Amino acid sequence: MCELLAMSCRHPTRLTSSLTALASHAQGKSRNRNGWGMAFYQGRDVELYRGTEAADTSGMVQWLEANGPLARLSLGYIRHATQGMVELANTGPFIRELNGRVHCFSHNGNLAHLFEDTETPLGHYRPVGVTDSELAFCKLLSGMERLTAPLHDLPPLDACLAAVAEMAGVLRRFGPANFLYSDGDTLFAHADRRLQPSTGRVEPPGLYWLTCPTQSSSELLEKPHSPEHDKGQRVILLASVPLSDGDWRALPRGSIFAVRDGELIAERQI
């Protein structure tokens, strides 16, 4: 199964050792050697970087570790190809425009038979590749596009959270459905279950989260530009497995977290 990574923070910063740790999980005999991708939000748009090579050998990943863009919201993954060939069309994170904003999605799991699902509408969205992950994203956006808001604006958080929870419930019927989804303002994370190397079974936890205290943020991210920046910084990291020492906490199965500017603003259990 793939491994996910996301960061939400109050002040723009750069992923450093967390990205390095994620890429290192593609080494050797790892299953996650079928590509990688990272999306860094810049306002309503994103800087998107993807490759079909293993993340640990990618020159672009190494460049991002040292020179990646500053962002308040970033998300990505390393891929294990359970559905679809190893090619760019099947490599996330996947992005789509909705209401003048770029939305972004990455998923960990294998949603068997999702392409046979005829109950959940697609709206006008269609996958470019042939992965269950991109199809899941299209189905999620079909629900989000039914929520109305002025151009470039967003529906109320409660409505967005309800739409995410509804789709998470659908996807879980087809297999493990850990995912990260963002509308450029809020990061939504759904935790399900994943293959656990220690047991060989597919079971929780599917996601972990870490709230970085100010004094340790520089160990995980770019060093602050000033003491004032450091003092006001807030950071939340989400990952499939802990990427560093620290108080990483497992998200219960069925939990949905909504995170904005490095702060948990809403949660729901399904």
Side-chain angles (χ1 to χ4, degrees):
M1 289 186 178
C2 309
E3 287 191 21
L4 307 178
L5 169 64
M7 175 192 70
S8 172
C9 52
R10 183 179 183 185
H11 300 301
T13 193
R14 208 166 36 82
L15 287 170
T16 53
S17 61
S18 295
L19 180 55
T20 303
L22 178 70
S24 73
H25 292 182
Q27 290 177 351
K29 297 182 180 180
S30 169
R31 294 156 57 94
N32 302 312
R33 296 186 59 79
N34 302 133
W36 62 275
M38 288 298 303
F40 304 91
Y41 268 94
Q42 306 294 328
R44 297 191 296 268
D45 208 342
V46 300
E47 288 189 49
L48 180 64
Y49 300 83
R50 297 181 297 162
T52 56
E53 70 278 9
D56 67 307
T57 62
S58 170
M60 188 177 294
V61 170
Q62 294 173 14
W63 182 87
L64 287 172
E65 291 168 359
N67 305 286
L70 295 169
R72 289 172 45 246
L73 178 56
S74 307
L75 65 155
Y77 82 142
I78 53 176
R79 184 184 182 216
H80 169 59
T82 53
Q83 296 189 35
M85 299 288 290
V86 178
E87 57 184 10
L88 201 60
N90 295 326
T91 306
F94 301 102
I95 63 172
R96 293 291 191 282
E97 178 275 336
L98 173 60
N99 200 35
R101 306 178 68 94
V102 173
H103 295 233
C104 190
F105 182 90
S106 56
H107 160 250
N108 160 230
N110 185 12
L111 304 173
H113 308 297
L114 184 62
F115 278 91
E116 301 169 17
D117 174 35
T118 58
E119 297 181 8
T120 312
L122 278 175
H124 73 273
Y125 292 99
R126 295 293 183 274
V128 176
V130 295
T131 65
D132 51 330
S133 300
E134 188 182 19
L135 179 62
F137 183 33
C138 291
K139 287 177 177 288
L140 171 59
L141 285 184
S142 73
M144 300 300 294
E145 69 178 342
R146 292 195 293 269
L147 307 177
T148 59
L151 180 65
H152 296 151
D153 286 349
L154 294 165
L157 176 63
D158 287 348
C160 294
L161 190 62
V164 171
E166 180 181 5
M167 184 51 55
V170 170
L171 297 179
R172 284 171 54 180
R173 301 204 305 263
F174 295 91
N178 307 288
F179 65 78
L180 303 170
Y181 160 67
S182 180
D183 54 21
D185 177 72
T186 303
L187 172 68
F188 298 91
H190 171 246
D192 191 10
R193 61 201 192 280
R194 67 186 308 272
L195 180 65
Q196 305 295 337
S198 60
T199 64
R201 296 192 295 268
V202 177
E203 57 190 5
L207 279 176
Y208 290 80
W209 76 306
L210 175 70
T211 302
C212 303
T214 299
Q215 62 269 24
S216 69
S217 294
S218 60
E219 299 173 7
L220 298 163
L221 308 158
E222 185 184 50
K223 291 183 178 180
H225 297 294
S226 68
E228 291 75 18
H229 178 274
D230 180 61
K231 184 177 180 180
Q233 181 67 295
R234 296 191 303 258
V235 180
I236 287 179
L237 292 171
L238 291 138
S240 296
V241 296
L243 297 176
S244 66
D245 295 333
D247 187 21
W248 289 85
R249 288 181 282 174
L251 273 66
R253 184 185 180 191
S255 60
I256 298 174
F257 278 19
V259 178
R260 182 188 297 146
D261 297 340
E263 185 175 13
L264 177 65
I265 58 172
E267 59 183 298
R268 179 172 296 192
Q269 188 72 29
I270 62 171

